[in-house]
Amino acid sequence: SHSSFGWEQAGAALAQKKAAMMDLGGFVRSAFPEADLPQLAYAPFPEIVPGVARYEDFSVNSIHVPANAKNKQGARDFVAYFYKPENLGAFLAAEGAIPPRNDCPPSKDPLVNAAVEELKKVVGTSQYYDRDTDPDMAQEGMAGLQEFMVKPERREQILKRLEKTRKRIFG
């Protein structure tokens, strides 16, 4: 019943060696006892269609200045300070997040460093599907993915439903 798990439950199954792999950020380490952290490793997303360029899911944590900020110059000064490589690297280290800059100091976490090196080899990145698209499309897409994981023989029906939803939302 893998499609009924949230990431926390799936992470626990991974830590208990009841699952083998997850497509998830470094924060999955919070599901692991300290002694088991060395079993975590980074694996690039596998090639599905030979010859198609490599891309990766890569979520970026960022800070922005709101358009209606009362102290825009103070906010800009903070953002300039925050995004200095050494400051950004220190902020991201606590979560084990991958820096969105390639000039941050190396992490103390070998998992982060492995991901940084692999990301240098890809053609492009995307954030998580459910964050990057219209919420209605995301909901239908996630439901379709869950259905496909359980019933792959329904692939064509799922794709037709997703295409219908895409046309309704995006025209």
Side-chain angles (χ1 to χ4, degrees):
S1 62
H2 64 278
S3 64
S4 65
F5 292 164
W7 80 262
E8 296 91 344
Q9 294 85 8
L14 187 65
Q16 297 163 8
K17 298 181 173 100
K18 294 178 181 174
M21 181 182 284
M22 288 180 72
D23 180 16
L24 195 62
F27 58 87
V28 72
R29 71 179 26 82
S30 65
F32 283 73
E34 188 73 29
D36 290 341
L37 287 176
Q39 74 178 314
L40 284 175
Y42 178 86
F45 201 83
E47 181 180 64
I48 296 172
V49 177
V52 172
R54 285 200 46 233
Y55 288 78
E56 285 284 346
D57 275 344
F58 173 55
S59 178
V60 177
N61 297 335
S62 58
I63 293 178
H64 308 269
V65 178
N68 61 351
K70 293 190 190 314
N71 181 358
K72 284 190 181 184
Q73 189 54 51
R76 288 184 186 114
D77 291 344
F78 172 78
V79 168
Y81 172 81
F82 179 81
Y83 279 106
K84 287 183 179 179
E86 62 275 12
N87 299 334
L88 180 61
F91 173 78
L92 296 173
E95 185 181 289
I98 301 166
R101 300 180 61 133
N102 60 11
D103 59 351
C104 285
S107 174
K108 293 177 184 172
D109 184 340
L111 194 61
V112 171
N113 293 331
V116 167
E117 289 307 309
E118 282 298 320
L119 285 168
K120 291 177 183 177
K121 301 174 187 175
V122 300
V123 172
T125 62
S126 67
Q127 290 200 78
Y128 301 115
Y129 169 75
D130 58 334
R131 294 183 190 178
D132 281 353
T133 192
D134 177 273
D136 288 340
M137 186 73 222
Q139 183 176 0
E140 190 68 38
M142 297 301 280
L145 180 60
Q146 289 175 335
E147 181 180 352
F148 177 75
M149 296 290 288
V150 176
K151 297 180 180 180
E153 69 278 3
R154 294 190 43 80
R155 179 180 184 272
E156 291 305 316
Q157 294 95 320
I158 295 166
L159 289 174
K160 285 178 184 174
R161 190 174 66 236
L162 290 175
E163 181 59 13
K164 183 178 176 183
T165 302
R166 186 198 66 78
K167 284 181 179 175
R168 177 179 53 82
I169 294 171
F170 300 114

